[in-house]
Structure formats: C-alpha cells, structure tokens
C-alpha cells in the first residue's frame, strides 16, 4: 500500500507514522538511498496496521529476517488465491498494477 522497500518496512517504527493534514503518513529516511520520503496512508493501509503499542520505538511489523521467507509466504498466498502466471514477491507487491487482474 506504500511502495516502501522491504528493508524500510522492516525498520518502520510507530513513531514514523505521523499526522498529515486530515490523515496519516509514513515519514522515514529510506535505508537504501538515504533520502527522506513521506507517503500518505489511505484507509486500507491504515486498516492493516496492528494496534498501536505504547512505545513509538517498537517495530510496526514483525517480519521474517530473510527476504526469501517473506517471498515464501507471498507464494503461499498466491497459491491459495488461485493466482497463476505471476510470481508474488515482496518487490513486485510495491507496484499497484501487479494486483490488477484481467477480467476475461
């Protein structure tokens, strides 16, 4: 929902999610580029966040340490959903058009 790299999502802290206008946004310095980025969060992204912990320094998500394990879970989801002809890795999930399925 944000287009963030896996490394940035792994390091995401609750304190990185901040009010922006009438909504919320992720505001971080990207691990790979060192560039600051602010990404507005839509309703679906907000609904996927776990309950807010008391400590803003806690990680938002608990992800496997190796990207291969994240990909393994993605492939399991793909198989259960009956998606064929596409590989479901974390990297491809950064692009919204990956999830547009043909209607015919």
């Amino acid at each position: 929902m944000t287009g963030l790299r896996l490394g940035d999502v792994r390091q995401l802290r609750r304190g990185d999610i901040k009010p922006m206008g009438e909504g919320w946004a992720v505001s971080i310095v990207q691990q790979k580029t060192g560039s600051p980025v602010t990404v507005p969060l839509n309703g679906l992204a907000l609904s996927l966040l776990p309950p807010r912990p008391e400590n803003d320094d806690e990680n938002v998500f608990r992800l496997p340490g190796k990207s291969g394990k994240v990909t393994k879970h993605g492939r399991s989801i793909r198989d259960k959903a009956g998606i064929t002809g596409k590989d479901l890795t974390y990297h491809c999930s950064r692009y919204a058009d990956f999830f547009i399925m043909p209607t015919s």
Side-chain angles (χ1 to χ4, degrees):
M1 300 304 307
T2 63
L4 294 175
R5 291 179 180 90
L6 180 58
D8 294 327
V9 173
R10 270 200 185 101
Q11 293 184 2
L12 188 64
R13 308 275 190 252
R14 277 316 274 224
D16 298 328
I17 301 172
K18 303 173 182 178
M20 184 179 92
E22 295 185 25
W24 292 85
V26 170
S27 185
I28 61 167
V29 174
Q30 291 181 343
Q31 180 183 15
K32 182 176 180 178
T33 65
S35 301
V37 64
T38 300
V39 181
L41 298 175
N42 64 24
L44 180 57
L46 289 170
S47 75
L48 297 173
L49 291 173
R52 189 174 190 104
E54 291 182 26
N55 182 352
D56 277 351
D57 288 333
E58 288 185 37
N59 287 20
V60 174
F61 300 105
R62 298 177 76 177
L63 297 173
K66 296 184 179 183
S67 60
K69 288 190 177 193
V70 174
T71 298
K72 182 179 176 181
H73 289 293
R75 289 179 179 151
S76 175
I77 292 167
R78 175 203 61 198
D79 294 344
K80 288 177 183 177
I83 298 170
T84 59
K86 291 187 178 187
D87 198 11
L88 184 58
T89 64
Y90 181 89
H91 181 80
C92 65
S93 72
R94 294 177 61 202
Y95 304 96
D97 64 343
F98 175 81
F99 293 100
I100 298 173
M101 303 301 290
T103 57
S104 56

